[in-house]
Amino acid sequence: MEHMEGLCVTDCEQCPELVESRSRIVNGVGPDDADLLFLGEAPGAKEDEGGEPFVGRSGSVLDDALREAGLARADVRITNCVRCRPPDNRDPTTEELANCKGYLASEFELVAPELVVTLGKVPSQHLLDRSVAITNEAGSVVDARLGDDSYRVLLSVHPAATLYDRSQREGFFETIARAADLSGLADSSEGQASLGDF
């Protein structure tokens, strides 16, 4: 795909409104062979400014949940469905999501994660290609196809939901702990080599 070097999109003009509202393209961060990949919706103001996904308030919630699960942000890959900030933090349109899907498929293919965690309704619907009632479906594991491959996907509420509704916090933290477990990362955090490495 043109405009993509390895895991980084370097230049893309497919979505006129996003080109207008972004100050940069925000690519995914984390190991290029991560077992656990978190998928958000699109960069917000803080992400656009810092050039990294999930660095604002919801990023802090995610970091806390990772820490509690025995993981560091550096252990996991974090990326978004759409790499450019939509104006006024609106949801990305169907067309914008579709325009960016090839980049996402390439990133998934290169990283080949054991588990993908969708953070919120938009990435869940985008990956599963159906409507998702995220508060009811959070915590469930499904298979989803992207590009030529199939991935195990754990649905989660968006970390921002825990900021507006404290009752969501416990469930979110449990989902992240489950993600650490399902991806095989929970074992390695205790300093024991997991059998999968032999």
Side-chain angles (χ1 to χ4, degrees), residues 35-36 114-115 139-141 152-154 175-186:
D35 287 334
L36 183 52
E114 291 291 317
L115 183 72
S140 53
V141 179
R152 256 197 330 166
V153 178
L154 174 62
T175 301
I176 302 308
R178 182 148 184 242
D181 218 23
L182 289 169
S183 62
L185 289 174

Side-chain angles (χ1 to χ4, degrees), residues 7 31-39 75-79 104-117 127 143-144 146 149-154 179 182-185:
L7 291 164
D32 56 13
D33 60 351
D35 287 334
L36 183 52
L37 182 149
F38 289 91
L39 180 62
D75 299 330
V76 303
R77 181 109 193 141
I78 305 173
T79 195
L104 190 62
S106 298
E107 184 171 15
F108 273 40
E109 195 181 332
L110 287 165
V111 175
E114 291 291 317
L115 183 72
V116 174
V117 180
L127 218 49
D143 283 316
L146 182 60
D149 300 299
S150 181
Y151 299 92
R152 256 197 330 166
V153 178
L154 174 62
L182 289 169
S183 62
L185 289 174

Side-chain angles (χ1 to χ4, degrees), residues 28-190:
V29 293
D32 56 13
D33 60 351
D35 287 334
L36 183 52
L37 182 149
F38 289 91
L39 180 62
E41 178 178 320
K46 282 269 191 293
E47 288 77 14
D48 180 70
E49 202 178 290
E52 191 174 315
F54 285 95
V55 289
R57 284 175 67 204
S58 52
S60 306
V61 176
L62 179 59
D63 291 345
D64 290 348
L66 286 169
R67 212 171 14 254
E68 203 162 290
L71 299 176
R73 191 180 171 95
D75 299 330
V76 303
R77 181 109 193 141
I78 305 173
T79 195
N80 281 310
C81 295
V82 169
R83 290 168 193 254
C84 301
R85 181 191 177 194
D88 305 321
N89 290 347
R90 65 160 169 74
D91 284 352
T93 64
T94 311
E95 190 183 354
E96 288 161 355
L97 285 163
N99 284 347
C100 224
K101 200 165 195 171
Y103 297 137
L104 190 62
S106 298
E107 184 171 15
F108 273 40
E109 195 181 332
L110 287 165
V111 175
E114 291 291 317
L115 183 72
V116 174
V117 180
T118 52
L119 297 170
K121 185 184 176 99
V122 171
S124 302
Q125 296 191 152
H126 185 52
L127 218 49
L128 301 187
D129 211 15
R130 64 171 173 81
S131 73
V132 172
I134 195 61
T135 32
N136 302 336
E137 295 189 54
S140 53
V141 179
V142 294
D143 283 316
R145 288 197 72 74
L146 182 60
D148 300 329
D149 300 299
S150 181
Y151 299 92
R152 256 197 330 166
V153 178
L154 174 62
L155 304 181
S156 171
V157 296
H158 193 283
T162 67
L163 298 168
Y164 308 118
D165 175 2
R166 297 290 295 179
S167 70
Q168 302 259 10
R169 193 174 165 90
E170 195 179 328
F172 178 71
F173 275 64
E174 278 167 15
T175 301
I176 302 308
R178 182 148 184 242
D181 218 23
L182 289 169
S183 62
L185 289 174
D187 317 334
S188 56
S189 61
E190 271 83 21

